[in-house]
Amino acid sequence: MNLTPYLIRGLATGGQFALVAIGYTMVYGILKLINFAHGDLFMLSGIMMIYLAASFPTMPMWVTILIMIALTVFVGFAIEKCAYSPLRTAPRMSVMISAIGVSYLLQNLVCYVTGGLAKQFPDIPLISQSIRVFGVKDKLAVFISPLVAVVLMVILVLIINHTKFGMSMRAVSKDFETAQLMGVKINRVISMTFIIGSFLAAVGALLYFAKNTGINHMAGSTPGIKAFIAAVVGGIGSVPGAVVGALLIGVVESLAKAFGLADFSDVISFALLII
């Protein structure tokens, strides 16, 4: 049996999950919070891209993409300020409940706007074109996803380990209260963490929905859950771990299909989470 096509598809799928998983792991690393709304922000990013492309058909696609990314970052920033910032000193359970509330809010808002119907993601020049790699034919977005994830991971690791802002992030992650006493601007660090996570979600949505073109209000649920599993498997709080975990999940699920266990691919992912 030739497993190469399954490995390629697995790495490609894992790369798409990785961009969402990094957002989960960064927020957890700073706030020790599982941001349940992150998968829904990923979905909202795709929906905004659809409506922007339909509303401004003459606008160059690269401008539409930049506006979509900017709007996603703004929504992520607004969620942090409205839903999480006021609960800075509240019990963790309160913040988690707020995160679940934001998740349902985004889902139901999109359901109301779209009528619960799936919308078609627009064709993006270049990345929506089909190519063949080692006998596997798919859209370019599928093949470049792991490369994009690794490049962004390297940039993030360099920022975290070699910049003043990165030092602030590490200080807040280690000891929230001590960092605050030492003069670290906690709110700025947390807001920037959400901004970076939202940016990655927007890029992930662009690559994921270029392949999986039908989007409804629940389209962020499965990628969100898989990305969360990837973050946990890779060691939640670790950016490289989130990418490795996502690639592992993608490859394991793809190999499950190769051995006729396609119906059990999700079960295997959750088994990895439990382990």
Side-chain angles (χ1 to χ4, degrees):
M1 180 187 294
N2 183 14
L3 296 179
T4 303
Y6 293 97
L7 289 172
I8 292 173
R9 288 191 184 280
L11 290 171
T13 303
Q16 293 171 334
F17 292 153
L19 293 167
V20 185
I22 293 173
Y24 273 111
T25 209
M26 285 183 66
V27 171
Y28 183 85
I30 299 295
L31 290 177
K32 300 297 181 285
L33 163 71
I34 304 299
N35 182 17
F36 289 106
H38 194 63
D40 298 296
L41 180 64
F42 168 85
M43 171 273 298
L44 181 64
S45 184
I47 289 291
M48 288 193 293
M49 185 66 192
I50 292 171
Y51 279 92
L52 283 169
S55 301
F56 305 100
T58 58
M59 185 185 295
M61 187 58 73
W62 66 270
V63 176
T64 306
I65 291 171
L66 289 177
I67 294 173
M68 179 272 284
I69 292 174
L71 286 174
T72 304
V73 167
F74 174 76
V75 173
F77 175 79
I79 288 172
E80 193 278 322
K81 286 299 179 188
C82 296
Y84 304 143
S85 183
L87 301 173
R88 207 64 93 220
T89 58
R92 294 294 173 204
M93 184 59 69
S94 300
V95 187
M96 187 174 293
I97 290 169
S98 182
I100 295 171
V102 173
S103 173
Y104 280 106
L105 174 65
L106 292 178
Q107 287 181 15
N108 284 278
L109 180 64
V110 171
C111 182
Y112 175 77
V113 171
T114 63
L117 302 175
K119 300 293 181 180
Q120 190 71 15
F121 197 77
D123 283 336
I124 310 295
L126 294 179
I127 67 172
S128 291
Q129 295 178 355
S130 294
I131 63 169
R132 188 178 294 276
V133 177
F134 295 109
V136 179
K137 185 177 181 181
D138 216 324
K139 293 184 177 180
L140 179 62
V142 173
F143 297 113
I144 65 173
S145 293
L147 298 177
V148 172
V150 171
V151 168
L152 291 176
M153 177 202 73
V154 170
I155 293 172
L156 268 177
V157 169
L158 290 174
I159 290 173
I160 291 169
N161 292 330
H162 300 287
T163 67
K164 187 176 180 180
F165 172 71
M167 188 183 296
S168 298
M169 288 182 71
R170 284 183 285 132
V172 174
S173 177
K174 278 287 184 185
D175 194 320
F176 196 95
E177 293 182 356
T178 303
Q180 195 168 25
L181 291 171
M182 295 297 290
V184 175
K185 298 184 185 303
I186 300 292
N187 289 329
R188 182 182 299 177
V189 171
I190 293 171
S191 294
M192 278 303 300
T193 302
F194 272 85
I195 285 171
I196 293 170
S198 301
F199 168 78
L200 293 171
V203 175
L206 195 66
L207 295 172
Y208 183 83
F209 292 122
K211 162 68 176 176
N212 306 280
T213 54
I215 311 177
N216 62 12
H217 61 288
M218 298 300 293
S221 297
T222 299
I225 292 171
K226 296 291 178 66
F228 170 66
I229 294 172
V232 173
V233 169
I236 193 160
S238 167
V239 172
V243 175
V244 172
L247 295 177
L248 178 63
I249 293 291
V251 169
V252 167
E253 288 195 355
S254 186
L255 289 177
K257 295 174 183 176
F259 291 103
L261 299 173
D263 293 339
F264 296 94
S265 59
D266 289 343
V267 175
I268 294 170
S269 296
F270 284 108
L272 285 174
L273 173 64
I274 293 167
I275 293 168

